[in-house]
Structure formats: C-alpha cells, structure tokens
Amino acid sequence: MKLPIRHDYPLRPHNTFGIDAKAHAYLQVTSADMLPHVRNSEALAGLPRLVLGGGSNILLTKDFSGLVLHMCSQGIDVVGEDDDSTYVRAAAGENWHRFVQWTLERGLGGLENLSLIPGSVGAAPIQNIGAYGVEVRDCFFELTAFDFESGEIIRLDKAICAFGYRDSIFKHALRERAVILDVTFALPKRWKPNLRYADVEREIAARGIASPTPRDVSDAVIAIRTRKLPDPSVVGNAGSFFKNPVVSSRQCDALSERYPQLVSYPQPDGSFKLAAGWLIDQCGWKGKSLGAAGVYERQALVLVNRGGASGQEIAQLAARIQADVKERFGVVLEPEPVFI
Ligand code: EPU
C-alpha cells in the first residue's frame, strides 16, 4: 500500500485554536488498514507521532517535526441490544457532536449532556470528556485500538480504560502507543434525564418543560454552551484551558475561610474540586489579553486566540495565569490541552 503522505502540511485548519504551524509529515487515516503500513515503513520509523482528531485539545507551540496521523474514518452503526442497552459503534474520525445528534435522532438518550463538545469520537475517551454532570465513561462500553507496539488491534473494556476526571489509560500506559479506531457506547433503555447540574435544570425550567426528552436536554445544553463558551469557528480556543484542581479538605477549608465565595465541589474520596474559572477570575484575568492571546470575557477558564496568536503566546499567557493563581491561592493549575 502506498501511503499518501504529505510534507510540510499546514495544521491551522486542523486545530481549534487556529494556530499556524506545520507538520513535517501528515497522513489522513481513513482506514485501520493503513496503520500497519505506517508501523512497518522504514521512512516513517523513528518519527514522533501525533494522533489528531478534531484538534480541539492541543496547543501547537511550534512546527511538529514528526508524523501527524489525522483520524478521518467514518461510520456509525447500531451493533446490538439487550434488555438494558442499545449498543452504538462510531468510527474514531466521526465528529463528536454530530455523533451525539445521530443518537438523539434515533431516540437514543445518554449522551445529550455532552452535546456541542468540540472534537472527535476517537478523542473522547482519551480525556474522558465531560460536561453538565456526565462523562464519556458513563455510557462507554468498549473500544478498539491499533497497538503500535505489537502491531495488533486490541479491544479495551471500560475497566481497562481506567477513566478518571479528564483522564484515562491513553494518557499513561498507552500514551503514544494505542491509536483508537472506534468506540462502542451502551445507551440506556431506561433513560432518565440528568439535571443534577443547576444550569441545565434552570434552563429546562425556563423553557417550561416538565418531563424533558433527551432532545430537550440536548437543546438546553446547546443553549447554555452557546451563551458561555466561544465557538471555535469564530474565536480560536480549546474549551477549558485548565482542569479544575483537586485539593484536600484541609486546604479547601483554609481557602474557604479566607475566601468565603470560593466555588468547590466535594469528591467521593473526601477531596474537593475547585472551580479554576473562579480562581482565574479572582486574579483579574477575565477579558484580559497578552498580545493576541486572551482570556474569554464570559468564562475565565477559556483562553482564546484573538487573531494570529502563536502557540508560544498562548503558553506564555497560561504560565502567567498559573503563577498568579499559585501565588494568591497556593493552588497549581494543570493545563487540559496537550502542548506540542
Ligand atoms: N466561574 C467564575 N468565573 C468565571 C468562570 C467560572 O466565577 O470566569 C465560576 C462559575 O460561576 C461557577 C464555577 O466557576 O460557579 C464553575 O463554572 P462553570 O459552571 O462554567 O464550569 P467549569 O467548572 O468552569 C467545567 C468543565 C467544562 C464543562 C463545564 C460544565 C473542566 C475543566 N471544565 O467547567 O468543560 O463544560 O464544567 O459541566 O472540568 C472543557 O473541558 O473543555 C469544558 C468546557
């Protein structure tokens, strides 16, 4: 098989920050059959690899000197059902939001709270995307991946994926090793709306809906996200730029004493998650800019490209914010996107 490799390929259309950077080598992966050839190619051996989905969780700080594998495979199918669930499999290259809409059009609930999250199906399990009280792991069944180490296709169930908050095995043991090919979801037959998140409950109530359908919840989430978060096709961004930091109950108590407005959420293990957006907002960064890199006016957790920003500029702004939050609150903010 002759692989259609492109060289010095511009990545600007393929990252939602809209950063101008090039890839030394670039391949559109439309089928899993291509990957063994990539693995066995002498010309490609030894090149660092970057697996790209929707490009919504990366910050390109320079040109990439390796091979970009752009996952473009398509296809969504119902692959089975039992008393509890309908099983739906989607190819890695499918757009996440379009996939969620596909399930809703067929009356399948479960993923509606994750509407409008940018990115691809194949990227969703890597950081266990989440919003409004739901994470991908809640409806995840299994996935297949190409293992660059063994050259084989492996099947991974939920337990092996070791999902955590914006975390999974793909950020640890299988990092730079497994390329996700498709993901199967188990969508519940006895669906109940998840309105635990106050914003969603308020939006549904404001629409006068007493018993919401999955479609209603999706519409509410889309409305909330559109109000709060910038559209990457208009303003370059990668969603939340930092994870919400997790601190001990002792540290949380000490902080709440000094800052009674502190926004915190108790975790099952006794620790507390703090709202990073609140911490950044308190440091006065909301709406501010450093060159062409900025902090979004309506949500301080989102860094934006105000036009022509380099990845370095965004990284410098992020570092300044981290330093201020550390100095004021003694809390370390960890970036959510991967720095390239
Ligand atoms: N807040 C401020 N100022 C701000 C931003 C937020 O005071 O500028 C306060 C809010 O008032 C609220 C709290 O911080 O009390 C939390 O804000 P929000 O509800 O907007 O959610 P978040 O914690 O900032 C997380 C996810 C989002 C997800 C939302 C909704 C992370 C890192 N981010 O944001 O995910 O959409 O909850 O579930 O966990 C993403 O990961 O890219 C993302 C957008």
Side-chain angles (χ1 to χ4, degrees):
M1 180 190 276
K2 171 121 178 58
L3 296 169
I5 304 280
R6 316 272 292 266
H7 288 279
D8 291 325
Y9 191 83
L11 293 176
R12 185 159 166 197
H14 302 301
N15 73 99
T16 59
F17 253 124
I19 305 285
D20 226 346
K22 287 197 174 80
H24 164 66
Y26 169 93
L27 175 66
Q28 255 185 26
V29 180
T30 45
S31 133
D33 304 344
M34 296 167 103
L35 295 174
H37 296 276
V38 171
R39 182 172 179 267
N40 298 333
S41 153
E42 267 176 39
L44 302 176
L47 281 183
R49 279 188 309 270
L50 168 64
V51 180
L52 192 62
S56 57
N57 199 44
I58 55 166
L59 179 65
L60 294 162
T61 60
K62 54 182 179 304
D63 288 340
F64 182 64
S65 57
L67 168 67
V68 167
L69 296 174
H70 190 188
M71 304 308 288
C72 296
S73 52
Q74 300 288 298
I76 309 174
D77 294 293
V78 172
V79 292
E81 62 177 308
D82 56 26
D83 289 348
D84 299 323
S85 310
T86 305
Y87 297 87
V88 182
R89 180 178 301 149
E94 288 285 347
N95 171 274
W96 174 262
H97 179 66
R98 278 203 297 272
F99 165 61
V100 172
Q101 297 307 304
W102 187 100
T103 61
L104 297 174
E105 278 155 22
R106 282 150 188 83
L108 302 168
L111 299 173
E112 57 285 342
N113 292 43
L114 305 179
S115 296
L116 214 58
I117 295 185
S120 61
V121 167
I126 298 177
Q127 62 156 344
N128 181 28
I129 58 170
Y132 306 106
V134 174
E135 291 179 334
V136 140
R137 70 168 144 198
D138 299 327
C139 288
F140 178 91
F141 181 63
E142 62 175 20
L143 60 74
T144 63
F146 178 75
D147 180 1
F148 262 94
E149 207 163 289
S150 67
E152 280 168 11
I153 290 179
I154 52 177
R155 185 179 293 272
L156 304 180
D157 66 14
K158 192 164 163 172
I160 293 178
C161 288
F163 292 119
Y165 168 58
R166 299 293 190 273
D167 199 31
S168 74
I169 192 169
F170 302 102
K171 287 188 159 188
H172 303 281
L174 293 183
R175 206 181 142 178
E176 317 217 327
R177 183 174 154 181
V179 178
I180 294 171
L181 300 172
D182 58 52
V183 186
T184 306
F185 298 86
L187 303 178
K189 287 205 169 154
R190 281 172 288 277
W191 176 85
K192 279 207 283 303
N194 182 334
L195 306 179
R196 259 175 296 167
Y197 205 92
D199 276 2
V200 181
E201 195 183 13
R202 266 197 300 271
E203 183 70 28
I204 293 282
R207 291 166 177 237
I209 299 168
S211 343
T213 62
R215 173 88 269 156
D216 293 330
V217 177
S218 172
D219 288 346
V221 166
I222 290 171
I224 298 166
R225 287 190 75 100
T226 307
R227 278 200 299 268
K228 268 198 177 173
L229 299 166
D231 176 352
S233 66
V234 180
V235 183
N237 76 91
S240 299
F241 195 87
F242 299 102
K243 294 188 208 175
N244 283 329
V246 177
V247 300
S248 66
S249 67
R250 219 222 241 145
Q251 190 176 1
C252 187
D253 285 350
L255 282 169
S256 324
E257 218 160 276
R258 277 181 67 195
Y259 305 99
Q261 307 298 320
L262 182 84
V263 182
S264 65
Y265 313 95
Q267 300 301 295
D269 66 356
S271 61
F272 284 80
K273 205 186 263 180
L274 305 181
W278 187 86
L279 300 173
I280 298 167
D281 199 350
Q282 292 299 302
C283 291
W285 275 109
K286 198 175 193 162
K288 295 280 167 58
S289 296
L290 210 60
V295 180
Y296 192 52
E297 286 67 16
R298 279 179 264 158
Q299 164 53 293
L301 196 47
V302 177
L303 302 194
V304 294
N305 177 355
R306 300 210 190 274
S310 67
Q312 292 286 350
E313 272 179 294
I314 305 273
Q316 278 156 14
L317 172 61
R320 288 273 299 271
I321 292 171
Q322 282 170 311
D324 281 3
V325 169
K326 175 83 175 68
E327 190 182 306
R328 175 130 180 223
F329 298 102
V331 172
V332 175
L333 292 185
E334 199 186 314
E336 211 186 85
V338 179
F339 285 45
I340 306 295

